[in-house]
Amino acid sequence: MSALKKRTIRFYRMFFAYILILLILMAIVCPTIMNAYLQSVRKTIEENISTQLNNTAHLMNQRFDELNKLTNRIRSNQRLRNSTVNSGVLAQRDALLELKNYLYTNSFISDIVIYSFGDDPSKDFILTEIGKYTLSSFFKIYAFTDWSNEMLDAYRTQPIELNLYPVQRVVSADKAAGEYEYLFLFYNLSLSKSYTEGLLSFWIPVKNLQSVAQVSLGNQKGEFRLLYNDISCYCFN
């Protein structure tokens, strides 16, 4: 056998040995690198989602803090007291203007509704930025999924501090007539927890909640839930 042929055989043996060693190293190293890469990608995605959720929670907290501040302003407004509103047409007009001004300062809500208790039930009324209603006439204009005038009237003897009601449909014959979905936030009109002068409610359109949920979810698949006292008040996916 010639020297050239021997060198060629030796070269191919060494070459294939190196290739085999390289393949073995790649079989060991590549899964480790790929696993590290996937963990890095997963961590980045989780951090991004966590940041989005934190931003959404912060935004929701801001919105409800604004409503808490607005509640205190309404509570202290003498023009919205039962005796003042019932004192005459001019006082009622001033009360409606006050509610309109409050409503225009907050884009998160679409309606502010006050259910005001008088010295006796005959002086009770419901006030919106549109007008003043008796309890029965209000429920003729607004048809709720789960509410009745008896339910609101029960709060005369059962004061609340804060209550958040799950989303429900409302069929309206006032303003822009139609069917809408709202989340309802109720406050005691009084600062005292032991008695109440009435109820203050904010109507939050579902479309406003959806815009917040979309900020949180983005293009991710998932579910957005708004919980109050472990009760799901709103869900979007």
Side-chain angles (χ1 to χ4, degrees), residues 40 46 68 168 172:
S40 177
E46 290 175 349
N68 287 336
Q168 62 174 288
S172 169

Side-chain angles (χ1 to χ4, degrees), residues 51-66:
T51 299
Q52 289 176 328
L53 292 175
N54 288 334
N55 289 339
T56 302
H58 179 68
L59 180 60
M60 290 298 297
N61 287 334
Q62 279 187 323
R63 294 290 180 264
F64 283 99
D65 284 344
E66 290 169 1

